[in-house]
Amino acid sequence: MARIAGIDLPKSKVGEIGLTNIFGIGRSLARRILKEAGVPKEKKVSEWSDDDAAKIRTIINDRFRV
């Protein structure tokens, strides 16, 4: 399970929808974050590698206030 910004993301959802569980992140921002991290938006959270989650976590922590 990926934990980003203190939130456990649901494993069964695609990344674009899973990131919206973090307060302050909507679908358009989630798409932008995934694109910048190089992770396909259709990829489920359970399929993310540790590197994928780390890239996403870094982008969110460095650039956004959530």
Side-chain angles (χ1 to χ4, degrees):
M1 179 173 293
R3 185 171 180 87
I4 298 175
I7 304 295
D8 289 326
L9 301 180
K11 295 188 290 185
S12 62
K13 296 195 178 195
V14 293
E16 180 181 352
I17 303 299
L19 285 176
T20 62
N21 283 331
I22 300 172
F23 183 78
I25 297 180
R27 289 184 71 172
S28 63
L29 184 55
R31 275 187 233 118
R32 226 178 355 166
I33 292 168
L34 291 171
K35 183 177 180 180
E36 189 172 331
V39 179
K41 64 181 181 179
E42 301 85 17
K43 197 173 189 182
K44 289 190 176 190
V45 174
S46 62
E47 297 170 351
W48 288 355
S49 68
D50 290 336
D51 289 337
D52 292 340
K55 287 178 196 175
I56 293 167
R57 188 176 300 114
T58 301
I59 291 168
I60 291 173
N61 290 335
D62 291 347
R63 301 201 182 130
F64 303 103
R65 185 173 179 207
V66 292

